[in-house]
């Protein structure tokens, strides 16, 4: 709830992911877990719904699946959780990426879903005026598979900035996540 309040207070632009939709739509009290692991997940999910409250959960479910944000009235950023073809599926940095993002007209595409961060500048066809597309997969804040010996799990942050030379650049950073005990206490 504190994170939601902070984002709203900052005027953050947000898009909906599958967890946001689930928080606003699922009634886990009516579900029967099949095993102990599923029961733990349902209990955690229920606690999250209760901590956020009905109004915030509903607002999360109503967030748009895509959003276009202007950086400087010249450069646009398309933000989505998944990919242009599947709002819940993710983009990976492979040979199919140029085809999957060919429909994006903006200068930058910021996505997530895969929980693996990457940054790639793609040349475009002539119908996009030859301007490259910067694809930024910001990875994940809460469920990152990336771990380091010194800090355990990491989160990813990306700063997207229009520069004086007219090029939009992204600056990725891995951020260590606090010890799991501190995270549990914070909610």
């Amino acid at each position: 709830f504190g994170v939601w309040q902070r984002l709203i207070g900052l005027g953050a632009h947000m898009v909906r992911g599958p967890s946001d939709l689930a928080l606003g739509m699922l009634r886990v009290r009516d579900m029967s877990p099949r095993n102990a692991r599923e029961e733990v997940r349902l209990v955690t999910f229920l606690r999250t719904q209760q901590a956020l409250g009905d109004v915030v959960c509903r607002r999360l479910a109503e967030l748009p699946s895509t959003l276009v944000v202007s950086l400087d009235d010249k450069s646009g950023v398309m933000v989505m959780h998944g990919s242009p073809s599947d709002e819940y599926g993710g983009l990976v940095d492979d040979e199919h990426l140029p085809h999957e993002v060919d429909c994006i007209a903006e200068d930058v595409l910021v996505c997530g879903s895969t929980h693996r961060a990457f940054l790639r500048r793609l040349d475009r066809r002539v119908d996009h005026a030859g301007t490259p597309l910067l694809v930024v997969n910001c990875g994940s804040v809460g469920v990152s598979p990336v771990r380091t010996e010194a800090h355990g799990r990491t989160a990813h942050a990306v700063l997207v900035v229009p520069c004086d030379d007219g090029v939009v650049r992204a600056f990725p950073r891995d951020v260590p996540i606090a010890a799991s005990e501190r995270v549990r206490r914070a909610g």
Side-chain angles (χ1 to χ4, degrees):
F1 184 72
V3 171
W4 171 261
Q5 288 178 313
R6 179 77 172 133
L7 290 171
I8 293 298
L10 291 170
H13 298 284
M14 297 179 275
V15 294
R16 177 187 67 226
S19 295
D20 303 311
L21 185 61
L23 283 166
M25 304 296 287
L26 292 180
R27 299 295 162 235
V28 295
R29 292 180 193 271
D30 302 333
M31 297 180 177
S32 300
R34 294 175 292 199
N35 55 48
R37 183 176 181 195
E38 205 170 90
E39 183 175 3
V40 168
R41 286 183 166 182
L42 287 175
V43 167
T44 301
F45 188 85
L46 180 60
R47 285 182 182 156
T48 302
Q49 279 182 320
Q50 290 169 340
L52 291 172
D54 290 340
V55 172
V56 173
C57 287
R58 195 170 46 252
R59 287 185 181 162
L60 286 169
E62 293 170 353
L63 288 170
S65 59
T66 61
L67 186 64
V68 175
V69 180
S70 174
L71 290 175
D72 57 5
D73 294 332
K74 294 182 284 182
S75 304
V77 177
M78 168 71 74
V79 182
M80 62 181 58
H81 178 267
S83 75
S85 62
D86 180 1
E87 70 179 276
Y88 303 117
L91 291 172
V92 292
D93 189 13
D94 65 11
E95 67 275 2
H96 303 291
L97 182 63
H99 176 70
E100 289 187 61
V101 299
D102 194 42
C103 61
I104 303 298
E106 288 72 28
D107 302 291
V108 180
L109 170 63
V110 177
C111 59
S113 183
T114 62
H115 302 279
R116 296 214 178 260
F118 70 83
L119 179 63
R120 186 159 172 209
R121 188 173 297 278
L122 299 171
D123 290 327
R124 301 212 240 184
R125 299 183 328 232
V126 176
D127 60 339
H128 288 292
T131 59
L133 172 67
L134 182 62
V135 180
V136 180
N137 186 322
C138 12
S140 172
V141 172
V143 193
S144 173
V146 179
R147 296 181 184 279
T148 65
E149 284 186 37
H151 298 103
R153 199 176 335 162
T154 61
H156 308 291
V158 179
L159 177 62
V160 179
V161 180
C163 297
D164 292 337
D165 60 2
V167 176
V168 176
R169 292 188 172 82
F171 302 93
R173 296 286 180 261
D174 288 338
V175 180
I177 293 178
S180 60
E181 191 57 40
R182 274 197 342 215
V183 171
R184 257 188 244 115
R185 281 197 311 261

